[in-house]
Amino acid sequence: MPEPSQDRDSATRALLMDAARRAADYRDADAGRERPVIGYAEAVAAFDGELPARGEEPHAVLDALVRAAEPGLHSTTGPRFFGWVIGSSHPVGVAADWLTSAWGQNTANHVAAPAAAAAETVAARWLLELLRLPADASVGFVTGATMANFVGLAAARGEVLRRAGWDVAERGLFGAPPVRVVIGDEAHSTVFSALNYLGFGRESLVRVPTDAQGAIRPDAFAQALPRQGPLIVVTQAGQLNTGAFDPHDSLVPLAKARGAWVHVDGAFGLWARACPSRAALARGVELADSWATDGHKWLQTPFDCGYAIVRDGEAHRRAMTIAASYLPPVQGGERDPSHHVPELSRRARGFSTWALLRHFGRDGVAEMVERHCALARRLADRLAAEPGVAVLNDVVLNQLLVRFGADRDMAAGDAATLATIAAIQAEGTCFAGGAKWRGRWAMRVSIIGAATCAADIDRSAEAMIACWRSVASAAAQG
């Protein structure tokens, strides 16, 4: 008769293998899935019910979870999902992430999880090399660009006040010298949120006008810089809608001459530095003081993976270090993960990052960025050739803004664009969403899935054009 521990081990293995099979089945289907998903209300109904009084058998729980979840899952891991700038969770990263969950390591510090801390140390060095940022910069492994911006700006706040003779850790913010923040009008909403979390109200922000592509205008920037006081400048590498880059080679020297800390929101655009043909877009970015970027965008890691990179490691650690008597001290050249992020208990994000950097290598990341940018240009050319369709942005990276009914007045063009987006989503060949740009509705397309190829772009273009023609025909008849 088997020992209880043997039964338990056998049941665990069977459950994990069952989950792996279901996951593999889903990814196989997602590669060619063509269907709309159910909405939120229907998804709530699928999950809803009374709290069970008695627990269910594990395999039955998985059955119920898959039944409830899959109808409401967008095909974000497939090759024709263009709705947001999110990667497709590459299988190598997913496999590493499964192991991360199975290993159950809490990356609180280098003693509690030595392997997880070591993976972060090496992955951080590889990231800095790939992105061509200062080799001695410090890196915090956070949930995503929102928290990466928060960490970088927290380091900035502490350091510019320290230079002004104010210790935030000791004295807090009440009575501190006012810090001004210069930021572009088209900065991402999460940067404004991060600033708000850190106590920067709207009155402390100096918003700078941008050009037609959403990049900061150097002339307006020079005029906007305050003449005195602690100063933080926030720039952007890759505008969310257009892919445009602020002109860092002009802006950063101006900011530095004023004594500012420069923080770069490079959630996806910072990866252009890994691609020789696109690196010039981010020229001058390396002169900044901190950078934020995502792993779950162009590196294709599973979600919950971003990087806060800070040139001044001491400023980074002053802003983030969590210390207590029960936590082990750092000795020698050891790197403690909790000194670089806001969380103590957290996921071991270094494993999937390390695995994907090892899988792709420098050349693989460069090829992927180059391919996606070329595919964006291919789709733009196909759509712009269709009467009544206009591409609103200069396609410099992987982002497109597309207007349907471009030859109509604003209200009619908005209606035509929104109707075409709805038709595309209902038809199901691909997924794209809408965004308002300079007061007009447009379809926003983000090409960043690891498996996306020319055939996917051509198939999607045909579906988009067919939907537009149907909308235009219905409008003409109505």
Side-chain angles (χ1 to χ4, degrees), residues 131-134 163 233 235 247-257 260-264 270 273 282-291 311-312:
L131 297 174
R132 296 186 298 114
L133 295 176
R163 295 173 190 168
V233 167
T235 62
H248 290 90
D249 51 350
S250 300
L251 304 186
V252 179
L254 286 171
K256 292 287 189 177
W261 176 295
V262 180
H263 173 76
V264 179
L270 197 60
R273 291 180 61 81
R283 186 171 49 243
V285 160
E286 70 280 358
L287 303 174
D289 297 289
S290 56
W291 306 263
R311 181 188 297 274
D312 184 342

Side-chain angles (χ1 to χ4, degrees), residues 146-162:
T146 303
M147 288 310 298
N149 283 316
F150 173 86
V151 171
L153 291 167
R157 182 188 66 179
E159 178 58 17
V160 298
L161 284 173
R162 188 189 69 80

